[in-house]
Amino acid sequence: MGLDVLSLNYTLSIVMAGSFILGISSGVLSSFAVLRQQSLLGDVISHAAFPGITLAFLWMMTKDPLGLFFGALVSGWIGTLLVKSIVTYTKLSMDTAFGIVLSVFFGLGIVLLSYIQRLPTSDKAGLNSFLFGSASTLLLQDLIVMGLFCFIILVFLGLFWKEFKLLTFDTSFMSSMGFPVAKLDMLLTILLVMAIVLGLQMVGVVLMSAMMIAPAAAARQWTSHLGLMVFLAGFIGLLSGCIGTLVSNAIPQVSTGPMIVVVISIMVIISLVFAPHRGLVCNWIKGYYHRVNIRANSILMNMLLFSESKTDPYHCHQLSALVAIGRGPSLRTMLQLKRQKLVQNPQDDLWGFTELGYKKALTLKKSLYSQSHEH
Amino acid sequence: MSIEQLSIIGLASLVSISCSLCGVYLVLRRLALISDAISHSILLGIVCSFFIVHDLNSPLLILGATLTGVLMVYLTEILVASKRLKKDASIGLVFPLFFSISVLLINLFAADIHLDQDSVLLGEIAFTPFRLLTIWGYNLGPASLWVMGGILVLNVVFISVFYKELKLTTFDHGLAAMLGFFPAYLHYAFMAMVSITAVGAFESVGVILVVALMIVPPATAYLLTNRLFPMMILSIVFGLASSLLGYSMAFYLNVSIAGSMAVMTGILFLLVFLFSPSQGLIMKFLTFQQQRILFSTNMLLIQLLEHEGTKTEKTENTVSNLIVHMKWTFKFANSIVSYALEKGFIQRHDDRLLLTSFGREKAKRVIVMDA
Amino acid sequence: MVKPDRLTDLECAVVVQDLTVAYKEKPVLWDIDLKIPKGVLLAIVGPNGAGKTTLLRSIMGMIKPAAGNVAIFGQSIAAKKRSIGYMPQRGTVDWDFPTDALDVVMMGRYGHIGWFKRPSVNDKKLSLEALDRVGMADFASRPLNQLSGGQQQRVFLARALVQDADLYFMDEPFVGVDAVTEQAIIELLKELRNQSKTVVVVHHDLQTLADYFDWVSLLNVRQIAYGSVADVLTPENLKITYGGRSSFLMHNPVIT
């Protein structure tokens, strides 16, 4: 019994460490993929990596993680090169090239997998887990390889941080300064392939692409600073990875990949709705106050128009008179202005400027006047 | 050949024809990856409808699947319109979510029915002969054949009825809108058509290989022709060829049928990519030298034309100047000059080069062509 | 004013000889000869598709020419990268990129900073100064997507300024910009010129040409005319430049 608990904890800590590594590396790289508008390239690479895994297995006849990762890396890389050459040498568009490479490579992987499954080897069982991902099959040796890849990714990202930032933002400016743009582009793509390959065993070929989009898509809503976005994306990736694997570990028949994707999608939805500045809720509120403000300003302008015909700018008018000259005020807006001490109503239904309100109306008029002359 | 094999081949053919037909428009409209997104999304509809009717053969499944396919497209467009995410990221977010939810639902609630993870990914074309359609006790043969046949008919009807409109909206979206063709409605109708086709094909070849059948044969055909109708015919031919060859490969090597079909579409694409007479890589490589000579000759002719009758003509229009000015090697300059001589564009007097009247016309044509 | 053909190479910031650039089989630029003296404000003018941006990019070594030579301060482009400042068209980047104005300006220092190093305090100081020069000091920490078109253009200008160059290339800096910003930009360009820097600008507006620039190159695949604005800007030359690509063959180049 005691041993069971111990081994469970052992498995669990490996799984958690795995999702930790996965979350960081894919979160960080997803920022660059999304900003470079290469979101769907992740989908292509992860599918294209699949035949590499099966071929590597056929070559070694064991599930040595380094070998499998290497196979995936090479075949994912070949996939991106093929996409590039199809787009360069034919009239086919980028997304058609994506579709071709993705589906044909995956088909090849399936053929090889069905071939492997007929072989009398005992070690083949776990290969299936590369399709939908499985956290429970993760071993310490897998973890070491994942950690190694993640380390390489982070080191390169640190070394070439400013170059990658510029590459993502403005390639033509970068090449004008004499930077080797094509080489840096290749390096960043290789890191992207590494980040994808690293997550395949846990999330699976089919859904890994979501890990290359969602963390960045969520993080982008919270910040307008690249460094912070990359950090947040890493954190969001990590959090979803951990939650997803924990849940799928707790419910045995649930695959890890889909669970992680659902968790991270929820994170994206929360970010889209609730993030400050960019979030939808914030936008609705801003839009509401904007409309209220415009309405209040137009009332002040109308009142100014009225008061210009009088010698006393603080002369009071009936609400119905103010309504008559278009885009009229509602009682609610008037009361609101009164709360802001911009208007006063000494008697029922008689409204006039306060001193503050008159000043504000005059500055409003001035700014409107200068604006219309600028254009 | 046994009746079982025949019905598998028949189904593969029906699937590949239907997919090719849809695919032509997907490729031309640059929506190739939408097929990937749709084929993943329809699973959610299938699973949800299954929980309602508890019958995997109910037509309601097709309806539900089509709805989720269209819903996915709609959601993506909303996300793009919100300006919070770019188009590629929006697509890449919505369909994995749909797909994940459906896989989880299958994991949790449908483990004992035969809608399992593997059949979702790999399809089960091999089981075709064993699921028979029986009406009032009469055996009408494999059910999938009837379903897929119906979908093919639907495809053909849709494309022939809206041929003109599809063509117009594909090639000139703005004009179509101006002429009142409601490209948005047609777009959604087309997306529904793709979803229906994907549902039918999904059962046979699985979620991802649908994409191979939809995208690769039309892309292959597009490398051979620019015209719509021949492209449709060609992509049907390529689709059929890959399913037949794929089936034979699977049969002889005893591997996955669906996977083999996808690999075959890829092999055919690769062959055309390499050997196509107009777009092929090898042809391009062979004509590269030719093009270089043509371009260099054009450069030579324009150079001669520009300096004709100027003060500097005697120094500019010489072979030795070409070597300095164009950074050509002595050998290359000579080969271009002799090519131009051979074509009758120029005359050579020792080092000096003069245009013939034919060459002058040609040079002017080259310039005008650029306009 | 000195005539272009009397310029010695020593007086020139840029010497372009017989430059031809081709895309596939078609010439985009044909046989361009251009001597840009130090300390002038030069406009490159021509219709759409005349090869203006291509000329800029080939001078900066971003495009490999089919024929011809470019020398910058008498040396190859590669040797003189540090003395070039560049302001690309505003539309070439994604302004929803998660960063702020100061960070974009700082990118102008990357060429000076070197590999593996971070921008120093001094780089930041220089960038803030550049932002101040374009009147954007208050917007240093403003996210990019909250800047107006004119403000974005000013940020790009500041980024070019912070490159601390002797020779500036600017691609359509006045496009999509309000009148105030346009004035501010041209004042700065004139200031640069007065500090004997050389500024080459791709320009669209013939109306402002004489007010803004000293020299002009009329371009339509070939160079139609080149020289001081007063000499070059004749109705005849403009007709050739804007009269379609075939018409220029009928005329010999005008070098005044």
Side-chain angles (χ1 to χ4, degrees), chain B residues 197-210:
Chain B
T197 312
V199 182
F202 149 81
E203 207 194 352
S204 312
V205 295
V207 164
I208 293 154
L209 302 177
V210 171

Side-chain angles (χ1 to χ4, degrees), chain C residues 44-105:
Chain C
I44 298 174
V45 178
N48 284 333
K52 301 183 295 277
T53 301
T54 309
L55 178 58
L56 232 55
R57 289 169 159 243
S58 341
I59 295 177
M60 283 186 287
M62 292 156 71
I63 296 175
K64 203 170 157 263
N69 287 308
V70 175
I72 290 180
F73 299 115
Q75 282 177 287
S76 74
I77 310 148
K80 279 289 172 188
K81 282 281 181 201
R82 296 284 169 277
S83 25
I84 291 178
Y86 177 42
M87 178 173 169
Q89 285 181 35
R90 185 164 53 92
T92 52
V93 303
D94 174 15
W95 288 95
D96 199 28
F97 191 83
T99 188
D100 55 33
L102 178 64
D103 202 35
V104 171
V105 177

Side-chain angles (χ1 to χ4, degrees), chain A residues 89 91 95 114 118 255 278, chain B residues 32 84 117 226 254 284:
Chain A
Y89 295 113
K91 58 189 169 184
D95 71 316
S114 63
R118 285 193 296 109
S255 317
R278 284 171 78 97
Chain B
R84 296 298 180 270
Q117 282 184 14
N226 272 329
N254 193 9
K284 277 193 174 155

Side-chain angles (χ1 to χ4, degrees), chain C residues 159-176:
Chain C
R159 186 178 68 173
L161 290 178
V162 90
Q163 288 185 277
D164 193 21
D166 299 314
L167 172 61
Y168 290 92
F169 295 97
M170 312 206 163
D171 203 343
E172 312 224 348
F174 304 117
V175 166

Side-chain angles (χ1 to χ4, degrees), chain A residues 6 17 19-20 28 35 39 64 73 76 112 114 120 127 140 154 180 186 188 213 246 287 303 307-308 351 364:
Chain A
L6 201 69
S19 46
F20 198 84
V28 165
L35 290 174
S39 306
D64 171 47
L73 203 62
L112 292 170
S114 63
L127 277 186
L140 184 61
L154 292 180
M186 192 165 89
L188 189 52
I213 303 173
L246 275 181
M303 286 174 63
S307 65
E308 274 165 352
W351 300 82
L364 266 175

Side-chain angles (χ1 to χ4, degrees), chain C:
Chain C
M1 194 174 277
V2 197
K3 303 279 179 188
D5 47 355
R6 301 232 186 93
L7 286 167
T8 64
D9 285 1
L10 219 67
E11 293 169 305
C12 287
V14 180
V15 177
V16 176
Q17 280 180 318
D18 305 330
L19 184 77
T20 294
V21 178
Y23 178 69
K24 289 186 178 164
E25 279 180 77
K26 306 280 171 60
V28 184
L29 288 175
W30 183 262
D31 200 16
I32 307 286
D33 286 297
L34 188 66
K35 285 184 171 181
I36 307 174
K38 292 172 188 167
V40 299
L41 200 46
L42 166 81
I44 298 174
V45 178
N48 284 333
K52 301 183 295 277
T53 301
T54 309
L55 178 58
L56 232 55
R57 289 169 159 243
S58 341
I59 295 177
M60 283 186 287
M62 292 156 71
I63 296 175
K64 203 170 157 263
N69 287 308
V70 175
I72 290 180
F73 299 115
Q75 282 177 287
S76 74
I77 310 148
K80 279 289 172 188
K81 282 281 181 201
R82 296 284 169 277
S83 25
I84 291 178
Y86 177 42
M87 178 173 169
Q89 285 181 35
R90 185 164 53 92
T92 52
V93 303
D94 174 15
W95 288 95
D96 199 28
F97 191 83
T99 188
D100 55 33
L102 178 64
D103 202 35
V104 171
V105 177
M106 214 117 74
M107 289 174 185
R109 300 296 306 163
Y110 285 9
H112 299 260
I113 293 171
W115 295 99
F116 313 129
K117 283 189 222 138
R118 292 290 149 89
S120 65
V121 181
N122 188 43
D123 292 320
K124 191 174 172 182
K125 202 186 99 211
L126 289 171
S127 307
L128 281 169
E129 279 168 16
L131 270 175
D132 195 33
R133 276 180 84 181
V134 298
M136 290 283 292
D138 297 339
F139 294 85
S141 56
R142 185 72 68 92
L144 282 194
N145 54 11
Q146 290 173 28
L147 298 175
S148 72
Q151 289 167 336
Q152 293 172 351
Q153 201 69 283
R154 284 165 187 241
V155 169
F156 259 25
L157 180 63
R159 186 178 68 173
L161 290 178
V162 90
Q163 288 185 277
D164 193 21
D166 299 314
L167 172 61
Y168 290 92
F169 295 97
M170 312 206 163
D171 203 343
E172 312 224 348
F174 304 117
V175 166
V177 150
D178 54 290
V180 183
T181 301
E182 178 156 345
Q183 275 311 312
I185 293 178
I186 195 64
E187 288 311 316
L188 258 168
L189 298 192
K190 285 182 173 167
E191 197 185 312
L192 287 174
R193 189 251 333 259
N194 295 341
Q195 295 164 1
S196 66
K197 314 241 171 182
T198 312
V199 185
V200 182
V201 177
V202 170
H203 195 54
H204 240 103
D205 186 10
L206 292 174
Q207 307 259 310
T208 52
L209 201 57
D211 288 345
Y212 290 178
F213 297 97
D214 322 324
W215 287 46
V216 62
S217 156
L218 293 182
L219 192 75
N220 192 347
V221 182
R222 216 183 57 173
Q223 182 158 269
I224 308 299
Y226 175 54
S228 69
V229 175
D231 292 341
V232 167
L233 215 57
T234 63
E236 168 75 348
N237 281 344
L238 289 176
K239 211 176 114 198
I240 305 170
T241 311
Y242 287 89
R245 291 182 83 180
S246 51
S247 63
F248 73 76
L249 255 192
M250 309 305 148
H251 305 268
N252 286 317
V254 189
I255 305 279
T256 52

Side-chain angles (χ1 to χ4, degrees), chain A residues 7-116:
Chain A
S7 73
L8 186 68
N9 283 341
Y10 178 71
T11 319
L12 200 62
S13 50
I14 282 195
V15 165
M16 292 309 282
S19 46
F20 198 84
I21 295 169
L22 161 87
I24 290 177
S25 57
S26 59
V28 165
L29 254 296
S30 71
S31 302
F32 288 95
V34 166
L35 290 174
R36 274 152 61 90
Q37 299 184 29
Q38 288 182 334
S39 306
L40 294 174
L41 185 63
D43 203 18
V44 178
I45 293 173
S46 62
H47 285 78
F50 187 47
I53 294 171
T54 48
L55 273 175
F57 178 81
L58 277 173
W59 180 276
M60 307 178 300
M61 280 303 172
T62 63
K63 286 198 326 242
D64 171 47
L66 198 59
L68 294 187
F69 278 131
F70 193 69
L73 203 62
V74 171
S75 108
W77 175 239
I78 291 175
T80 60
L81 289 184
L82 264 177
V83 167
K84 213 171 240 174
S85 53
I86 289 174
V87 174
T88 316
Y89 295 113
T90 71
K91 58 189 169 184
L92 296 172
S93 62
M94 179 75 94
D95 71 316
T96 305
F98 279 176
I100 294 169
V101 171
L102 178 156
S103 58
V104 173
F105 271 61
F106 188 75
L108 182 63
I110 292 292
V111 167
L112 292 170
L113 184 68
S114 63
Y115 176 74
I116 289 170

Side-chain angles (χ1 to χ4, degrees), chain B residues 12-243:
Chain B
S13 309
L14 288 175
V15 168
S16 58
I17 295 174
S18 310
C19 286
S20 300
L21 281 175
C22 282
V24 167
Y25 294 93
L26 285 169
V27 167
L28 288 177
R29 287 167 167 243
R30 299 172 171 237
L31 291 172
L33 277 187
I34 285 282
S35 67
D36 187 35
I38 284 183
S39 69
H40 282 81
S41 308
I42 53 170
L43 186 62
L44 185 59
I46 293 176
V47 173
C48 290
S49 328
F50 174 76
F51 287 137
I52 298 172
V53 293
H54 290 281
D55 176 10
L56 268 179
N57 296 316
S58 161
L60 198 71
L61 264 58
I62 296 186
L63 184 71
T66 311
L67 281 179
T68 43
V70 174
L71 178 70
M72 187 278 306
V73 175
Y74 181 64
L75 273 181
T76 326
E77 276 164 20
I78 285 183
L79 271 182
V80 176
S82 81
K83 290 189 180 160
R84 296 298 180 270
L85 295 167
K86 299 269 174 348
K87 190 176 180 199
D88 59 335
S90 310
I91 296 174
L93 277 174
V94 178
F95 83 80
L97 176 61
F98 274 39
F99 190 64
S100 303
I101 294 175
S102 31
V103 171
L104 288 182
L105 288 175
I106 293 174
N107 284 165
L108 288 173
F109 305 114
D112 43 345
I113 61 161
H114 74 252
L115 196 64
D116 59 37
Q117 282 184 14
D118 281 356
S119 67
V120 163
L121 277 191
L122 311 178
E124 25 195 40
I125 199 165
F127 301 127
T128 310
F130 311 110
R131 264 186 254 131
L132 300 174
L133 182 70
T134 44
I135 295 180
W136 300 306
Y138 290 100
N139 180 3
L140 296 174
S144 328
L145 273 178
W146 287 99
V147 174
M148 209 55 226
I151 290 173
L152 176 58
V153 170
L154 209 60
N155 259 304
V156 171
V157 169
F158 180 79
I159 288 175
S160 20
V161 168
F162 293 110
Y163 186 74
K164 184 171 84 253
E165 288 81 357
L166 273 173
K167 194 171 174 176
L168 191 61
T169 51
T170 302
F171 293 107
D172 193 343
H173 201 266
L175 181 66
M178 244 167 57
L179 294 177
F181 276 119
F182 300 112
Y185 288 126
L186 195 65
H187 176 66
Y188 276 102
F190 176 59
M191 288 295 109
M193 195 66 243
V194 174
S195 305
I196 293 173
T197 312
V199 182
F202 149 81
E203 207 194 352
S204 312
V205 295
V207 164
I208 293 154
L209 302 177
V210 171
V211 180
L213 292 179
M214 279 198 178
I215 299 307
V216 190
T220 316
Y222 195 32
L223 293 186
L224 292 171
T225 177
N226 272 329
R227 291 184 306 142
L228 183 58
F229 193 71
M231 184 176 160
M232 284 166 63
I233 299 297
L234 267 177
S235 56
I236 289 174
V237 170
F238 283 123
L240 273 176
S242 5
S243 50

